[in-house]
Amino acid sequence: QDYLQIEILLFFMLSGAGGLFLAGDPAQSVVDGANFQFKDVRTVGFYLFGEEQKKMIPNKPEKLSLNFRSHSGILQVASAVLDCLSSAFPDSIAQTGSDKAVFQGPRPSLLYKICSNSLRELSQKVEGIVFLTHDENVSCLRRALQQYPLVFGIREAKGLEFQSVVIVDFFSELSKKYQKVWRDLLLGRQVDVDKFPEIESHLKLLYTGITRSIQRLFFAETSPSVAGQAFVRWSSTTTVTAWNRTQALAVQQSVNDVEGMTLTKDEWRSAGLDNAIMAEQEEIELVEAEAWLEKALYCFSKSGDTELARKARTHRKAICFQRMLATKLQDDRENDSEILSLELKAVDVMEQLLWERLILEARRLALSLMPMMSKPYSENQFVTHLLDKFPCEKEMEGLLL
């Protein structure tokens, strides 16, 4: 749901006739500049093939409404956010509907005007709890939580799922110019959304954050705000008549009211593997990969998986080495002794990667070495004696399964 029409066009060209299958949720389109709707896919199809080749154009999308991830308490809030979205921006999610829960569950908790110490207490009380916030606020929140590792930006966490989630300072971190707009929207008042189109992406971002949670969901605001106060009223009371609700969506609590919760070793291991997989994405920056591996290491330490922790540690070492290489490449003053020193370090890191069977990471390290090794070796020598030793892409896929 974060693709542009030009990217969908590329998918058509790559997949060929009848070979394209897409699934997504337009309400989670949170990448700047993208406003995906499934009708866009058919529009591209008509552009490519025209009326005379209708069989080449995908059918109208099927709507899936049964949710196997989150329980009813979480989905009721998510559905209410979608109601706000469709009310203010009727064309944004025209082809979606509210999810139906397979499982019943409690309503989310509101922790309004909570201090950082109480948030830290919550992180100790509920094992594996994940804190989500605006992506630009991640480093600040992590400092407030004394470098607690399971802190994500909402966009960063998209596609993942967690047992317990706290959405922190979603409203108080919004710009001042949006505070009253959000208040009026939540309280069912007239809003001129044409003047504030960014509200659509805010709503989708909030919906995305809510639907990351499987079992327990908290909304925490460390500072009072106009929008935050309106959200408390909107979610924890039935006094906002515009939305015609007979039951509150959430309940106000303090950290003392929260019962402790533990994760099994399997759940910690699963969370660690999810983070490690995210670190393997080729398109992310090295610093992002390192952050994902830090989270993976934390989870593996909790699960007691020494072997997986060792693999993650080795992967992180390779990422750190590649970051150092990238810095060195910006400096053209390396002498032969420096290149030799780097080559020896690369050999050590490569050996550890191969020992851990991290073939994909070893190949990526080799590719990152090519520019640095152009002085002592020709490209042909480098490819013949190193890159050609790695399996081809299809063989690597088999090794990774």
Side-chain angles (χ1 to χ4, degrees), residues 125-401:
K125 204 169 188 179
V126 182
E127 272 199 352
I129 195 166
V130 168
F131 293 85
L132 301 182
T133 188
H134 293 282
D135 290 65
E136 56 271 21
N137 193 43
V138 168
S139 58
C140 181
L141 179 58
R142 189 173 287 131
R143 285 196 300 272
L145 296 175
Q146 296 182 341
Q147 301 305 315
Y148 181 71
L150 302 182
V151 179
F152 296 79
I154 297 176
R155 288 186 176 88
E156 179 188 14
K158 190 182 151 195
L160 299 177
E161 57 184 38
F162 313 101
Q163 290 293 324
S164 301
V165 168
V166 190
I167 299 177
V168 183
D169 288 338
F170 184 90
F171 297 99
S172 60
E173 286 296 321
L174 292 173
S175 171
K176 185 177 180 180
K177 69 178 180 178
Y178 301 124
Q179 291 290 325
K180 290 184 179 180
V181 183
W182 261 95
R183 178 198 62 191
D184 293 343
L185 175 64
L186 292 171
L187 300 185
R189 300 171 183 171
Q190 189 68 32
V191 177
D192 187 357
V193 293
D194 291 337
K195 293 182 178 179
F196 302 96
E198 301 88 350
I199 299 296
E200 179 180 353
S201 62
H202 294 173
L203 283 160
K204 290 181 177 180
L205 200 63
L206 178 59
Y207 174 78
T208 300
I210 290 169
T211 53
R212 298 312 90 209
S213 177
I214 298 173
Q215 190 169 351
R216 301 180 77 169
L217 176 63
F218 303 85
F219 296 98
E221 293 286 317
T222 60
S223 303
S225 65
V226 171
Q229 289 171 340
F231 180 77
V232 170
R233 182 182 168 192
W234 175 83
S235 60
S236 64
T237 74
T238 57
T239 60
V240 185
T241 56
W243 300 108
N244 195 27
R245 283 197 297 266
T246 57
Q247 185 183 30
L249 298 169
V251 292
Q252 293 196 61
Q253 286 188 310
S254 72
V255 172
N256 293 332
D257 299 325
V258 179
E259 294 181 3
M261 176 181 171
T262 58
L263 293 184
T264 66
K265 288 187 176 182
D266 285 349
E267 288 170 332
W268 276 117
R269 183 184 302 114
S270 177
L273 289 170
D274 284 343
N275 286 301
I277 289 169
M278 293 299 291
E280 289 180 340
Q281 296 179 96
E282 191 171 4
E283 64 271 16
I284 67 172
E285 300 289 337
L286 292 173
V287 66
E288 294 178 84
E290 188 176 353
W292 284 112
L293 289 168
E294 289 288 349
K295 295 179 176 73
L297 277 168
Y298 177 79
C299 295
F300 292 144
S301 69
K302 290 289 187 178
S303 68
D305 283 292
T306 54
E307 182 178 346
L308 289 173
R310 190 178 64 243
K311 286 180 180 290
R313 204 172 289 113
T314 302
H315 188 184
R316 183 182 62 178
K317 184 176 182 179
I319 293 295
C320 291
F321 182 70
Q322 288 179 70
R323 288 184 64 190
M324 190 227 358
L325 277 179
T327 303
K328 289 285 186 183
L329 282 173
Q330 297 174 5
D331 185 356
D332 295 328
R333 294 173 297 176
E334 305 95 353
N335 54 44
D336 291 342
S337 63
E338 287 177 321
I339 292 176
L340 177 61
S341 175
L342 286 171
E343 187 174 358
L344 292 173
K345 288 179 182 177
V347 169
D348 177 58
V349 175
M350 185 76 71
E351 184 179 21
Q352 292 180 53
L353 288 171
L354 294 174
W355 180 260
E356 297 293 345
R357 288 178 55 81
L358 297 173
I359 310 298
L360 177 63
E361 289 72 24
R363 188 175 188 276
R364 287 177 179 171
L365 175 61
L367 287 170
S368 68
L369 283 168
M370 280 191 71
M372 184 67 69
M373 296 295 108
S374 61
K375 293 181 179 179
Y377 305 103
S378 67
E379 181 176 341
N380 184 58
Q381 287 176 312
F382 193 86
V383 171
T384 302
H385 295 290
L386 183 58
L387 285 181
D388 282 353
K389 305 297 181 183
F390 288 99
C392 67
E393 289 292 331
K394 287 187 178 180
E395 292 173 329
M396 288 178 68
E397 287 177 9
L399 287 170
L400 293 170
L401 292 176

